[in-house]
Amino acid sequence: MTDLLTRLTEMLDDLDADVDETIDLADEIAASGDAGLLPRLQAELDRALAEQNAYARELLGGVLAAIGGPDALPALLRASSVDLGDDQDALATEIVDIVQSDPHTSRTVLQPLTEDDDLAVANRAEWALRFLPNT
């Protein structure tokens, strides 16, 4: 699977890469459920943020969400708190889907983030908590 992740990062760096192929490859990696990829996915997401690559943030965030579930929420919120000038629709949807699919774990993960030193992260955690189902 690491070879697929290497290929995905290469495609995300290549402005001429086929968008549909890139998305299909991201979907294939996400469907693998390979938790061993989480550290590398996090590192690649951090690199995308540093390079201000909103497209890579969206695709890598989706893969991270699919494999990491609620445990990926801190990384996803930190990524979402960075303004890259895009609408973040896909990333926001990933966060909301996780929160609604596993409300108990999500609350446990999100609550401490509302006190994060980075106000943007704290605000995103408050935002995400609004999507918890009413019980």
Side-chain angles (χ1 to χ4, degrees):
M1 196 56 57
T2 300
D3 291 337
L4 293 180
L5 185 52
T6 298
R7 178 70 184 130
L8 178 62
T9 59
E10 290 169 352
M11 292 174 82
L12 291 170
D13 289 340
D14 180 0
L15 296 176
D16 295 325
D18 183 89
V19 173
D20 290 331
E21 280 183 44
T22 306
I23 292 169
D24 289 346
L25 182 55
D27 289 344
E28 181 179 348
I29 296 167
S32 78
D34 185 352
L37 295 176
L38 290 171
R40 174 100 185 274
L41 284 165
Q42 177 63 56
E44 292 298 335
L45 182 59
D46 291 344
R47 184 173 71 95
L49 293 171
E51 294 174 357
Q52 299 187 348
N53 185 337
Y55 174 58
R57 171 176 63 185
E58 294 285 317
L59 282 181
L60 292 168
V63 176
L64 187 62
I67 295 175
D71 292 333
L73 284 170
L76 296 172
L77 289 178
R78 289 187 193 292
S80 178
S81 72
V82 177
D83 183 4
L84 299 180
D86 60 326
D87 61 16
Q88 295 191 43
D89 283 350
L91 188 55
T93 298
E94 296 291 352
I95 292 167
V96 170
D97 285 350
I98 290 171
V99 169
Q100 292 182 340
S101 68
D102 190 342
H104 176 72
T105 305
S106 295
R107 181 186 306 278
T108 301
V109 171
L110 291 171
Q111 197 62 49
L113 291 172
T114 65
E115 303 292 327
D116 197 274
D117 290 338
D118 183 336
L119 189 56
V121 172
N123 287 338
R124 291 305 284 173
E126 290 284 349
W127 167 83
L129 283 168
R130 286 188 241 150
F131 294 97
L132 287 169
N134 293 330
T135 53

